[in-house]
């Protein structure tokens, strides 16, 4: 916020929109409740004005509702401490122009917010992409349901994770071929950007760009956007059906699980594992034709991507990380599984089988 505030202060206030969030899940997670939570949350809200050098927010969100303890946590964060009333009064006073929430996790929270909270939401931020449309994994909910519920109430949707943390730009080689066959000139990522932007009720797409090529793709794809045809929509659904057959771990590199107190580089380990699956470098057993090549690629790539001290073998299984993972990944279990796999590769046990 401070860096953004400095950058934006050079421009007229009416030439841009500011969106920021009430991120009091961390305060709640640290054990604050009731009055204490309210005071710390109000301070967080007021600090955002100072940091962003503004006297109003165009978009303000209750951040990441639905994670952690679901309904209980949502009630604690919004209602029991009175912060929902406070924010609604701020909106009445004109310091918040549009009020929304971002959603991950327990669908009961999403339904409660739309059906029972009585809050007139101006927008809702959801995770939507062609894989999550009908194949949401972990704690996520199918985007088809989320989007339809918003559309039928005329609530604009803000889209997050259109590229699923870059996973939809780094898909399995077979999928790349399939997409390239259909549109040789289009990048793999552009399919995902077009999918997210094609729905009429979408207010904006937060592109979640990681690399320069994502930024370039983003600009090319949205200027101007060519919405998907019905046929292309079906094609992407078939692609998603195929994709779920590859056993990648649904990590989107958001890093919410970091830092690990024991120094494990969780996303780097999971991304390396996924990369090997996508590139067909997943040594299964010694009878595989490319076992030796795949084994070498996996082990050398692992040491290059993740320093030894930060590899899965150093995970002690404390599980401090998993509750923060919006994808619902059982991180210690995956660390143990990958470590076991690496050990078997190192000792060439699979070859001896
Ligand atoms: S379970 Fe493993 S990866 Fe997760 S915080 Fe503990 S040591 Fe780190
Ligand atoms: S929080 Fe989950 S999805 Fe995000 S980087 Fe960590 S493991 Fe991956």
């Amino acid at each position: 916020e401070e860096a953004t505030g400095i950058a934006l202060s050079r421009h007229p206030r009416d030439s841009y929109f500011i969106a920021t969030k009430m991120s009091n899940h961390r305060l709640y997670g640290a054990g604050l409740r009731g009055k204490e939570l309210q005071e710390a949350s109000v301070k967080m809200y007021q600090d955002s004005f100072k940091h962003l050098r503004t006297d109003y927010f165009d978009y303000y969100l209750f951040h990441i509702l639905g994670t952690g303890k679901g309904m209980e946590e949502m009630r604690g964060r919004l209602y029991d401490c009175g912060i929902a009333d406070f924010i609604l009064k701020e909106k009445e006073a004109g310091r918040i122009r549009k009020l929304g929430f971002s959603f991950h996790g327990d669908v009961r929270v999403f339904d409660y917010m739309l059906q029972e909270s009585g809050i007139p939401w101006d927008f809702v931020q959801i995770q939507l992409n062609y894989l999550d449309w009908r194949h949401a994994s972990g704690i996520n909910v199918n985007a088809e349901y989320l989007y339809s519920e918003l559309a039928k109430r005329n609530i604009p949707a803000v889209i997050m994770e259109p590229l699923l943390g870059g996973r939809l730009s780094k898909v399995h080689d077979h999928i790349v071929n399939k997409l390239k066959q259909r549109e040789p000139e289009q990048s793999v990522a552009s399919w995902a950007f077009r999918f997210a932007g094609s729905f009429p009720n979408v207010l904006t797409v937060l592109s979640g760009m990681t690399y320069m090529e994502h930024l370039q793709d983003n600009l090319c794809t949205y200027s101007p956007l060519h919405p998907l045809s019905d046929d292309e929509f079906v094609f992407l659904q078939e692609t998603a059906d195929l994709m779920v057959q590859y056993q990648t771990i649904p990590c989107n590199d958001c890093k919410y699980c970091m830092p690990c107190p024991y120094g494990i580089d969780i996303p780097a380990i999971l991304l390396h594992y996924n990369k090997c699956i996508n590139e067909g470098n997943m040594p299964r057993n010694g009878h595989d034709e490319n076992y030796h090549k795949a084994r070498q690629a996996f082990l050398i790539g692992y040491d290059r991507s993740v320093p030894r001290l930060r590899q899965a073998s150093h995970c002690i299984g404390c599980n401090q990380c998993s509750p923060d993972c919006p994808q619902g990944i059982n991180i210690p279990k995956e660390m143990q599984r990958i470590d076991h796999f690496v050990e078997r590769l190192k000792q060439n046990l699979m070859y001896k089988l």
Side-chain angles (χ1 to χ4, degrees):
E1 283 186 342
E2 285 185 75
T4 307
I6 293 167
L8 290 179
S9 65
R10 301 176 191 132
H11 304 278
R13 179 64 183 89
D14 61 0
S15 64
Y16 53 83
F17 296 119
I18 292 184
T20 194
K21 300 169 173 180
M22 167 59 63
S23 299
N24 66 354
H25 59 296
R26 292 199 188 270
L27 303 170
Y28 184 90
L32 271 60
R33 299 289 184 273
K35 186 99 185 117
E36 236 189 343
L37 179 58
Q38 185 193 35
E39 283 171 6
S41 303
V42 169
K43 181 173 181 319
M44 180 179 277
Y45 173 77
Q46 287 166 343
D47 282 348
S48 291
F49 282 104
K50 264 188 255 153
H51 295 155
L52 287 161
R53 304 179 184 204
T54 184
D55 51 9
Y56 71 95
F57 299 129
D58 302 279
Y59 295 91
Y60 197 78
L61 301 93
F62 292 110
H63 182 38
I64 202 166
L65 296 187
T67 51
K69 293 189 179 136
M71 289 294 283
E72 181 191 329
E73 182 163 332
M74 178 278 290
R75 285 187 206 285
R77 281 180 55 196
L78 265 57
Y79 294 105
D80 300 348
C81 69
I83 203 70
D85 283 344
F86 170 83
I87 291 292
L88 285 168
K89 285 196 186 111
E90 287 296 290
K91 191 182 167 198
E92 268 173 38
R95 285 183 284 274
I96 292 173
R97 300 276 158 93
K98 305 269 186 197
L99 180 63
F101 68 93
S102 62
F103 171 74
H104 277 289
D106 187 341
V107 73
R108 287 173 305 165
V109 173
F110 181 82
D111 290 342
Y112 178 88
M113 285 297 154
L114 297 194
Q115 295 163 19
E116 293 177 54
S117 71
I119 299 176
W121 299 110
D122 299 305
F123 68 102
V124 175
Q125 187 168 313
I126 56 170
Q127 179 163 320
L128 180 150
N129 53 65
Y130 66 84
L131 192 59
D132 283 325
W133 186 246
R134 286 187 189 143
H135 295 289
S137 57
I139 58 168
N140 291 315
V141 179
N142 281 346
E144 185 177 28
Y145 174 77
L146 301 176
Y147 176 79
S148 320
E149 288 299 303
L150 296 178
K152 82 186 178 203
R153 293 173 175 82
N154 278 324
I155 301 174
V158 170
I159 304 305
M160 58 182 156
E161 301 290 355
L163 277 183
L164 204 43
R167 275 177 68 208
L168 296 183
S169 65
K170 289 181 246 152
V171 295
H172 194 282
D173 284 356
H174 290 170
I175 307 279
V176 174
N177 292 342
K178 187 172 147 72
L179 298 175
K180 286 286 176 192
Q181 224 169 13
R182 176 125 185 173
E183 286 289 348
E185 299 302 318
Q186 271 192 34
S187 70
V188 170
S190 70
W191 281 100
F193 284 142
R194 285 180 66 214
F195 183 87
S198 291
F199 295 92
N201 214 42
V202 165
L203 177 67
T204 190
V205 177
L206 311 177
S207 304
M209 297 165 288
T210 313
Y211 303 110
M212 180 55 90
E213 73 207 53
H214 294 165
L215 175 64
Q216 284 159 350
D217 258 347
N218 184 344
L219 294 172
C220 293
T221 311
Y222 289 120
S223 319
L225 171 74
H226 298 290
L228 293 177
S229 64
D230 291 349
D231 195 36
E232 285 174 321
F233 187 85
V234 172
F235 168 70
L236 280 185
Q237 285 313 297
E238 288 166 1
T239 305
D241 292 344
L242 194 64
M243 230 175 234
V244 288
Q245 293 173 22
Y246 299 111
Q247 299 294 310
T248 49
I249 301 163
C251 173
N252 61 16
D253 200 17
C254 67
K255 298 183 175 54
Y256 286 176
C257 55
M258 297 290 279
C260 156
Y262 297 90
I264 312 300
D265 193 342
I266 303 164
I269 294 167
L270 300 181
L271 294 184
H272 172 69
Y273 185 84
N274 285 348
K275 182 168 174 275
C276 288
I277 291 189
N278 287 336
E279 291 174 356
N281 282 328
M282 188 46 73
R284 292 282 167 214
N285 64 58
H287 305 295
D288 271 2
E289 208 182 302
N290 73 340
Y291 172 80
H292 290 291
K293 189 176 146 270
R295 173 180 177 272
Q296 210 177 12
F298 191 100
L299 291 177
I300 292 174
Y302 190 43
D303 281 344
R304 280 194 189 141
S305 320
V306 191
R308 285 264 164 105
L309 280 174
R310 309 197 66 193
Q311 293 184 354
S313 56
H314 294 276
C315 168
I316 64 149
C318 67
N319 201 30
Q320 286 190 48
C321 46
S322 290
D324 287 328
C325 176
Q327 304 300 326
I329 300 170
N330 183 336
I331 298 170
K333 192 169 148 224
E334 294 296 355
M335 291 298 118
Q336 201 184 31
R337 190 172 67 83
I338 293 173
D339 180 43
H340 188 62
F341 179 69
V342 169
E343 273 313 305
R344 278 159 54 84
L345 278 185
K346 280 186 181 162
Q347 295 175 30
N348 233 340
L349 289 181
M350 286 185 260
Y351 187 59
K352 287 174 190 156
L353 275 178

